[in-house]
Amino acid sequence: MTTAPPTPPDTDAAAFVAALRRLKAWSGFSYRQLERRAKDAGHVLPYSTAATMLGRDRLPRQELVAAFVAACGVRADEAQAWLDARVTIACGGPVVTTRSSRKRWSWQRCRAFAGALALAGALLAAAGGPFTDDVEVDEVGVSHHLPG
């Protein structure tokens, strides 16, 4: 009988990465096998990146967590729990309610914000970097910078 994969903690980055290490041990795959399995699942996870990720206590990027848990063989619903826990840690913890303002800040809002940031980063990367490319400025003859 196989055991269930480890569950992700949502307390702090060090505990999260320790759980990722347990997940790798649970999977029984080498770093090279994880790289191949991630590629087969449509992700990019270089073996050196996976090894570096598990050797630190910093919170890994969202796409690395998604690739890693998929490569380890975690089912989609369980994989989402890993991604949710990562967002909760990145956003500073679970639900916080303030009585005075009656505003409720939840991990769902933070997750939406994190998703928007990831989308903005992807769009900037797809655009080829900074928008103030010197070649474009030279061709147009207009600078969008304020005079100093």
Side-chain angles (χ1 to χ4, degrees):
M1 182 173 153
T2 61
T3 60
T7 57
D10 62 359
T11 53
D12 61 38
F16 187 82
V17 174
L20 287 174
R21 288 185 202 110
R22 287 190 300 278
L23 182 60
K24 181 190 178 293
W26 171 84
S27 76
F29 296 119
S30 69
Y31 287 112
R32 296 260 186 194
Q33 289 172 317
L34 290 172
E35 180 179 29
R36 284 190 295 275
R37 289 175 56 86
K39 183 178 179 183
D40 292 343
H43 296 281
V44 176
L45 181 67
Y47 71 91
S48 59
T49 302
T52 300
M53 175 181 74
L54 296 184
R56 296 180 178 166
D57 285 337
R58 288 194 332 223
L59 194 61
R61 294 187 326 261
Q62 184 92 355
E63 62 272 12
L64 289 178
V65 174
F68 186 80
V69 297
C72 286
V74 174
R75 293 185 323 211
D77 57 332
E78 294 168 336
Q80 189 59 50
W82 283 91
L83 297 175
D84 290 346
R86 189 224 169 264
V87 169
T88 298
I89 294 166
C91 293
V95 174
V96 176
T97 305
T98 60
R99 273 192 179 174
S100 60
S101 63
R102 297 287 182 204
K103 291 182 181 177
R104 182 179 168 110
W105 297 98
S106 67
W107 66 270
Q108 289 95 347
R109 286 185 185 179
C110 188
R111 182 174 174 202
F113 179 70
L117 286 177
L119 177 62
L123 291 173
L124 285 174
F131 290 113
T132 58
D133 190 4
D134 292 337
V135 174
E136 290 180 36
V137 171
D138 290 341
E139 289 175 1
V140 176
V142 175
S143 175
H144 297 288
H145 298 284
L146 294 174

